[in-house]
Amino acid sequence: MDLLFLGTSSGTPTRARNVSGLALLEDSGKGWYLIDCGEGTQHQLLRTPLTLHGLRAIFITHVHGDHCYGLPGLLASAGMARREEPLEIIAPEGIEPWLRSTFAMSHTWLPFELRFRAVETLGQWRSSQVRVEATALSHRVPSYGFSFTEARPDPKLAIDRLARDGIPRGPIWGQLARGFDVEHEGRLLCSDDYLDYGRPPRRFVIGGDNDRPALLAEACQGAHVLVHEATYGQAVTQATGNPFGHSTAAQVAGFAQQAGVPNLVLTHFSARYQPGSNRGHSIEEIRAEAAAGYEGRLFLAEDFLRLHLDRTGALQPSARPT
Amino acid sequence: MDLLFLGTSSGTPTRARNVSGLALLEDSGKGWYLIDCGEGTQHQLLRTPLTLHGLRAIFITHVHGDHCYGLPGLLASAGMARREEPLEIIAPEGIEPWLRSTFAMSHTWLPFELRFRAVETLGQWRSSQVRVEATALSHRVPSYGFSFTEARPDPKLAIDRLARDGIPRGPIWGQLARGFDVEHEGRLLCSDDYLDYGRPPRRFVIGGDNDRPALLAEACQGAHVLVHEATYGQAVTQATGNPFGHSTAAQVAGFAQQAGVPNLVLTHFSARYQPGSNRGHSIEEIRAEAAAGYEGRLFLAEDFLRLHLDRTGALQPSARPT
């Protein structure tokens, strides 16, 4: 499973960083999930191997424009690319009426169905590959983090239980092995009941904008990777009083250390942080501040950074897509 | 006065071309007008010398997403850049309520005022530099072209008329010379009444999506430049029946020839036209088809193409901004 960062700037794009967008790729490399969709996300995708046909679902952390203004254009382009598969959008409740009125205003008709799930009442969302839960965070508007847990880590059919329940060898076994629930002689057979797993599931926790990282403590149990905003370093928030409800690098690092998360990826940096340090603030301030409080593996996201989480739970950069 | 193309693709962005956006620059190089604002227009601006503080007004030709989905993000970024100057948006009537509801949904507050003018009832729009009129076109939805006419070409104060009307030499003369109307002793003195112009005004006609170029015949009288979509060549529309209400290169070229417009810039190309011709259609098909029917100066727009119209009415490429 891979993370591929499509946008790592907060609020407004810069020449080097787009606004928020993050792809989580299934092991196959074809199916993927989009977390947040700032303006220009579809443009970023053109520079990756990902297609709008492979997109399984979209998750929106909160309604601020830099996290959702790219939705209308991305969905319209999916339509022009003749996607027909329904698409689920898990988002705050305001997103659905806004998207529907945007398409009505612009006379846009999509050749596929949009299926909305309100993040406020999500419970659990599942595909054949992942289970997703939402955690409420603290920001100027309601904001959520999403935990993605691998659904079937190294699955093996539990032959003894299949035999016990009299389920005949054949296509049903295959369905169950691939994670699908099957109806058989009037009963629903749940794939989960007939699979054993060879190792703990891989788990990613991806935060939305948030000024209280500790709200993710429960979600981070057993997590291999935490992706969290670190919009500013402490120097900036001490000067400005942090009126915007964001986290500092130090705060997030301290939380990740305490929670024992082995990999931390910081993102959503204020445009004032630049690669060099000739003028304004250097992004290296963020790195140093986080490294001081965190002993795990630390990454600062950049646009098109791709990180592979292997089956042992090790996170490594993989080759750039372009 | 310059044209600077920010997006030249129809419908969906490609790696080489963004969706529609076109800047018209005043001679000063600071003030500018934006015609259409597809998604990612603000990103394109980051690669030009233009700023959101210098933006005088936005003109939207029609409500299709590839011409307006960039508005919320561009305006939000103008706010984050602390623009305070009110901004006029001349657009189809659906745009205002959509923008207002988009900002309400996303909890976005702008530190400057948006002033909307419905293109359907525009009459004339004026700044100190240009006069703009709208022309109704033919497309799947109501679509408009905009004619930009230089307001004060080489102005000289008409001293005889000032003397005749008893207007005292001083600051009032300066105001009138710079194109401002002035109240004096209870009368409104119109700048136009006290200026003589040294040459015909420069004039640009910029079409929206349109399948009947001849609708621009009147607007093109005295025009130096026509910018018009040529989404397809004839080969494609003959194969598809042109269900989308666009013009072919041949149609536009034939019209521009008949109207006697000396410079023609084609834009808004279907993504099927690629720079090379290894697969699909080559953009050179469009060029050849237009050149066959048009004897004036022909340009095919590309993203970041900048064209300078000098005071003699000659149109020339100028240095790329990046």
Side-chain angles (χ1 to χ4, degrees):
Chain A
M1 299 169 83
D2 285 26
L3 293 172
L4 173 46
F5 287 84
L6 301 168
T8 58
S9 179
S10 78
T12 191
T14 71
R15 283 181 66 137
R17 296 180 186 271
N18 195 30
V19 286
S20 291
L22 171 58
L24 176 70
L25 283 66
E26 297 176 351
D27 281 321
S28 72
K30 285 189 185 160
W32 62 285
Y33 307 86
L34 177 62
I35 301 99
D36 283 337
C37 186
E39 181 184 356
T41 296
Q42 65 161 327
H43 300 67
Q44 299 290 84
L45 288 173
L46 296 173
R47 301 178 187 282
T48 75
L50 301 175
T51 73
L52 294 173
H53 290 275
L55 179 56
R56 307 272 191 243
I58 302 175
F59 298 80
I60 301 293
T61 61
H62 65 296
V63 297
H64 281 155
D66 56 321
H67 294 256
C68 68
Y69 282 173
L71 281 171
L74 180 136
L75 296 172
S77 287
M80 282 182 268
R82 300 188 188 177
R83 180 186 174 112
E84 294 183 352
E85 181 97 5
L87 181 60
E88 283 195 81
I89 301 182
I90 296 88
E93 278 174 347
I95 295 287
E96 175 174 2
W98 169 65
L99 271 179
R100 298 215 186 270
S101 70
T102 296
F103 291 136
M105 181 282 296
S106 58
H107 295 248
T108 303
W109 175 84
L110 300 179
F112 59 91
E113 187 192 344
L114 295 181
R115 294 179 181 165
F116 288 90
R117 289 277 300 272
V119 67
E120 293 86 348
T121 54
L122 182 63
Q124 191 180 79
W125 184 91
R126 300 178 61 136
S127 72
S128 64
Q129 303 291 315
V130 293
R131 302 192 319 262
V132 184
E133 282 118 22
T135 303
L137 304 175
S138 164
H139 190 49
R140 284 173 293 150
V141 297
S143 180
Y144 292 83
F146 294 104
S147 311
F148 286 77
T149 307
E150 189 179 14
R152 302 179 305 116
D154 294 351
K156 278 178 208 150
L157 273 177
I159 310 287
D160 53 338
R161 296 204 292 278
L162 289 162
R164 178 198 69 195
D165 294 351
I167 298 160
R169 184 181 295 266
I172 294 176
W173 285 30
Q175 297 271 77
L176 292 170
R178 288 198 300 281
F180 295 107
D181 299 339
V182 181
E183 206 169 298
H184 174 64
E185 295 180 349
R187 292 191 289 164
L188 184 69
L189 308 178
C190 290
S191 167
D192 269 353
D193 295 337
Y194 298 102
L195 290 175
D196 288 322
Y197 298 111
R199 57 178 167 78
R202 284 172 283 179
R203 182 169 169 88
F204 300 80
V205 176
I206 297 166
D209 289 10
N210 178 32
D211 62 12
R212 289 177 56 199
L215 291 170
L216 288 166
E218 195 181 320
C220 281
Q221 284 176 21
H224 298 87
V225 185
L226 170 62
V227 178
H228 201 284
E229 63 127 318
T231 308
Y232 310 115
Q234 286 182 296
V236 169
T237 54
Q238 277 159 15
T240 62
N242 190 21
F244 297 115
H246 292 299
S247 289
T248 64
Q251 256 180 297
V252 181
F255 164 69
Q257 176 71 16
Q258 197 166 19
V261 184
N263 297 284
L264 173 61
V265 191
L266 300 178
T267 185
H268 195 268
F269 305 116
S270 162
R272 76 192 71 203
Y273 294 99
Q274 295 293 324
S277 57
N278 289 342
R279 51 183 199 139
H281 294 266
S282 162
I283 191 75
E284 295 306 319
E285 286 177 44
I286 299 278
R287 190 189 307 276
E289 185 174 311
Y294 177 68
E295 293 166 349
R297 185 114 199 246
L298 173 68
F299 298 86
L300 266 57
E302 296 177 1
D303 286 19
F304 303 114
L305 173 67
R306 183 168 172 167
L307 296 170
H308 176 65
L309 184 67
D310 70 20
R311 288 177 172 75
T312 73
L315 189 70
Q316 301 283 353
S318 55
R320 292 245 173 165
T322 47
Chain B
M1 300 168 84
D2 285 27
L3 294 171
L4 174 46
F5 287 83
L6 302 168
T8 58
S9 179
S10 78
T12 192
T14 69
R15 282 181 67 137
R17 297 179 186 272
N18 195 29
V19 287
S20 290
L22 171 58
L24 177 69
L25 283 67
E26 297 177 351
D27 280 321
S28 73
K30 284 189 186 159
W32 61 286
Y33 308 86
L34 177 62
I35 302 99
D36 283 336
C37 185
E39 182 184 356
T41 296
Q42 65 161 328
H43 300 67
Q44 299 289 85
L45 287 173
L46 295 174
R47 301 178 188 281
T48 74
L50 302 175
T51 72
L52 294 173
H53 290 274
L55 178 56
R56 306 272 191 244
I58 301 176
F59 298 81
I60 301 293
T61 60
H62 66 297
V63 296
H64 281 155
D66 56 322
H67 295 256
C68 68
Y69 282 173
L71 281 170
L74 179 136
L75 296 171
S77 287
M80 283 182 267
R82 301 188 189 179
R83 180 186 174 112
E84 293 182 352
E85 181 97 5
L87 181 60
E88 284 195 79
I89 301 181
I90 297 89
E93 278 174 347
I95 295 288
E96 175 174 1
W98 169 66
L99 271 179
R100 298 216 186 270
S101 70
T102 296
F103 291 136
M105 182 281 297
S106 58
H107 296 248
T108 303
W109 174 84
L110 300 180
F112 58 92
E113 186 193 344
L114 295 180
R115 295 180 181 163
F116 288 91
R117 290 277 300 272
V119 66
E120 293 86 347
T121 54
L122 181 63
Q124 190 179 80
W125 183 91
R126 300 178 62 136
S127 72
S128 64
Q129 303 291 314
V130 293
R131 302 191 320 261
V132 184
E133 282 119 21
T135 303
L137 304 175
S138 165
H139 190 48
R140 284 172 292 151
V141 297
S143 180
Y144 292 83
F146 293 105
S147 312
F148 286 77
T149 306
E150 189 179 14
R152 302 179 305 116
D154 293 351
K156 278 178 209 149
L157 273 176
I159 309 286
D160 52 339
R161 296 204 290 279
L162 290 162
R164 179 198 65 194
D165 294 352
I167 298 159
R169 186 181 294 265
I172 294 176
W173 286 30
Q175 297 272 76
L176 293 170
R178 288 199 300 282
F180 295 107
D181 300 338
V182 181
E183 206 170 297
H184 174 63
E185 296 180 348
R187 292 192 288 167
L188 184 69
L189 307 178
C190 289
S191 168
D192 270 353
D193 294 338
Y194 298 101
L195 290 175
D196 289 321
Y197 298 111
R199 58 177 166 77
R202 283 172 283 179
R203 183 169 169 87
F204 300 81
V205 176
I206 297 167
D209 289 10
N210 178 32
D211 61 12
R212 290 176 55 197
L215 290 170
L216 289 165
E218 195 180 320
C220 281
Q221 284 175 21
H224 297 87
V225 185
L226 170 63
V227 178
H228 201 284
E229 62 126 319
T231 308
Y232 310 116
Q234 286 182 297
V236 169
T237 54
Q238 278 160 13
T240 62
N242 189 21
F244 297 116
H246 291 300
S247 288
T248 63
Q251 257 180 296
V252 181
F255 164 71
Q257 176 70 17
Q258 197 167 18
V261 184
N263 298 285
L264 173 62
V265 190
L266 300 179
T267 185
H268 195 268
F269 305 115
S270 163
R272 76 192 73 203
Y273 294 99
Q274 295 292 325
S277 56
N278 289 343
R279 52 181 199 143
H281 293 266
S282 163
I283 192 75
E284 295 306 319
E285 287 176 43
I286 298 277
R287 190 188 308 275
E289 184 174 312
Y294 177 67
E295 293 167 348
R297 186 117 198 243
L298 174 68
F299 298 85
L300 266 59
E302 296 176 2
D303 287 20
F304 304 113
L305 172 68
R306 182 168 173 168
L307 297 170
H308 176 65
L309 184 67
D310 70 20
R311 289 177 171 76
T312 73
L315 189 70
Q316 301 282 352
S318 56
R320 293 240 173 170
T322 47

